[in-house]
Amino acid sequence: MSLKNTLEIDLIKASTSKIDTIDFENLAFGNVFTDHMLVCDFKEGSWQKPIIKPYEPFLIDPSAKVFHYGQAIFEGMKAYKDDQDAVWLFRPEENFQRFNKSAVRMAMPEVPENIFMDGLKTILDLDRNWVKKGIGNTLYIRPFMIAVGSGVIAQPSTQYRFMIILSPAKAYYSGEVKVIIAEHYSRAANGGIGAAKAAGNYSAQFYPTKLANDKGFQQIIWTDDATHTKLEEAGTMNVFFRINDTLLTAPTSERILDGVTRKSLIDLAKREGMDVEIRSVLVDEIVNAAKDGSLKEIFGAGTAAVVSPISAFSFKDVEYSLPKLENSFAHQLKDKLTKIQYKKAEDTFDWTCKV
């Protein structure tokens, strides 16, 4: 895939760059931002001309509907730099399509492809020095849209703001990750907004995750809202299970996000001849597999974390440890995926595109 810029964008460059003040070896995820941001407003029924300007706060009315009714969506993407200093994106069309699916579900206007893609290319080209070489170094990309129309009547806004901000990043999680299987709280429900990247999905996770943290666990494996018998996602990630040599993951649904990393890992696993089953995964099935030793791995998958191995899980106050494997599926798949993203291996899927 290639990105060709056909959109006219107003550009105001930062007078000075703050890049030399940043310690790129000690980055906390999502706390540092580049010199510029993209802003494009929707009003009077149409999208306005985008502008790229210095990264800065902006004014918003206290009655803006994003504050009162939660109309807010976002995406998570990354840019990578290869050994020749070229900057690459990974499957950006998937993020664009999912962004607009989220917009439709949240009664927000769809963002035109040229605004999303051309705006993304332009700001990445402008801030390309913030993308550092080396596996593990990325530029995290956060497109998002909020309702900025004023008024506290409970109805969709008529004005919206689409933005793209960029953040240099290293690893999302560090150290071993232990999880609790949810027995009461749910991430999403049928008929709800679980398949959308809506801001409210994530804020609703904070309280039960804090309860897990207080018990010494980093995240939660969410279960279905109706019966709490089906395993669905892990924290903010899709989740995979390996029983013997079979890789299991739940199908996408109204409750489960259609993760770009998830679908990429499935394709890679199939290409490598791994046995993959996309089906409902039951709590009892995983607990029993942990007891009899056939459960070899659990790992999360997402843009920010890429692949995050899980060392142990707890269910009904019983903790089950996972074996430490030298050549795990998680390691194999992460290695193959990152080599494609950093252009260290052939991209047989045509997933990458040059900025």
Side-chain angles (χ1 to χ4, degrees):
M1 179 185 175
S2 63
L3 293 178
K4 295 181 179 180
N5 195 337
T6 60
L7 179 70
E8 186 179 351
I9 301 173
D10 284 338
L11 179 59
I12 303 173
K13 291 186 178 180
S15 56
T16 58
S17 176
K18 60 191 177 212
I19 193 169
D20 291 336
T21 68
I22 306 304
D23 181 0
F24 283 88
E25 295 304 314
N26 296 285
L27 291 169
F29 187 90
N31 284 354
V32 173
F33 297 92
T34 66
D35 294 319
H36 298 92
M37 62 185 189
L38 179 139
V39 181
C40 188
D41 287 332
F42 179 91
K43 58 184 178 181
E44 297 176 353
S46 64
W47 286 99
Q48 309 300 299
K49 188 177 182 182
I51 182 171
I52 292 176
K53 58 195 294 188
Y55 184 95
E56 62 185 4
F58 59 89
L59 293 174
I60 187 169
D61 194 291
S63 71
K65 291 186 184 293
V66 65
F67 298 136
H68 304 275
Y69 302 110
Q71 278 188 293
I73 61 171
F74 68 92
E75 272 297 323
M77 311 167 65
K78 284 181 178 177
Y80 310 83
K81 184 169 280 186
D82 67 19
D83 292 337
Q84 287 71 48
D85 285 325
V87 176
W88 297 84
L89 287 167
F90 182 75
R91 307 188 76 174
E93 73 285 352
E94 295 284 347
N95 295 98
F96 165 69
Q97 292 168 7
R98 190 173 64 183
F99 189 87
N100 277 338
K101 287 180 181 177
S102 297
V104 169
R105 181 62 184 86
M106 298 299 291
M108 304 170 83
E110 295 181 63
V111 175
E113 185 173 5
N114 62 343
I115 291 177
F116 191 102
M117 291 298 192
D118 292 355
L120 177 57
K121 176 189 181 299
T122 303
I123 192 171
L124 280 174
D125 194 35
L126 187 61
D127 282 347
R128 64 171 50 241
N129 288 339
W130 290 78
V131 193
K132 300 301 182 181
K133 288 191 291 189
I135 288 182
N137 295 318
T138 62
L139 188 64
Y140 185 76
I141 303 163
R142 173 54 62 90
F144 65 99
M145 179 164 49
I146 58 174
V148 295
S150 59
V152 294
I153 185 172
Q155 64 185 27
S157 177
T158 58
Q159 297 181 40
Y160 297 88
R161 177 161 292 176
F162 169 68
M163 298 183 65
I164 299 176
I165 55 177
L166 310 171
S167 177
K170 282 187 173 291
Y172 189 71
Y173 294 113
S174 60
E176 291 189 341
V177 176
K178 298 198 301 180
V179 300
I180 290 179
I181 292 178
E183 299 176 52
H184 172 71
Y185 293 102
S186 299
R187 176 189 174 273
N190 283 334
I193 58 173
K197 280 191 75 74
N201 288 342
Y202 297 79
S203 60
Q205 295 182 33
F206 293 161
Y207 176 67
T209 302
K210 179 184 180 299
L211 297 180
N213 295 162
D214 291 343
K215 293 182 178 180
F217 297 85
Q218 286 71 46
Q219 281 293 351
I220 296 172
I221 294 184
W222 303 103
T223 50
D224 69 291
D225 64 297
T227 66
H228 293 290
T229 60
K230 300 175 182 178
L231 296 158
E232 300 197 327
E233 291 196 357
T236 58
M237 302 174 287
N238 295 116
V239 64
F240 289 81
F241 306 87
R242 176 186 170 188
I243 296 181
N244 291 319
D245 285 331
T246 300
L247 201 57
L248 310 174
T249 193
T252 56
S253 68
E254 290 182 300
R255 304 185 306 274
I256 299 177
L257 192 70
D258 187 12
V260 178
T261 303
R262 171 191 174 276
K263 64 178 66 176
S264 302
L265 293 180
I266 291 170
D267 288 344
L268 279 169
K270 290 179 177 179
R271 188 191 71 179
E272 297 303 311
M274 296 178 181
D275 185 18
V276 181
E277 294 183 9
I278 302 172
R279 61 169 176 80
S280 294
V281 183
L282 301 180
V283 175
D284 286 348
E285 177 182 11
I286 296 305
V287 170
N288 290 334
K291 289 178 178 178
D292 67 25
S294 60
L295 180 64
K296 306 302 182 183
E297 298 180 62
I298 304 175
F299 57 91
T303 298
V306 188
V307 172
S308 184
I310 291 169
S311 62
F313 72 90
S314 174
F315 180 65
K316 294 189 180 299
D317 295 322
V318 178
E319 185 172 320
Y320 302 86
S321 295
L322 278 295
K324 294 184 178 181
L325 306 177
E326 288 188 6
N327 195 28
S328 65
F329 281 12
H331 175 77
Q332 292 180 53
L333 293 172
K334 181 178 182 179
D335 181 65
K336 293 181 185 303
L337 181 61
T338 53
K339 282 181 177 176
I340 291 173
Q341 291 168 332
Y342 288 90
K343 306 304 288 184
K344 292 181 178 294
E346 182 183 0
D347 178 11
T348 59
F349 297 98
D350 195 26
W351 283 338
T352 55
C353 62
K354 193 173 182 180
V355 176

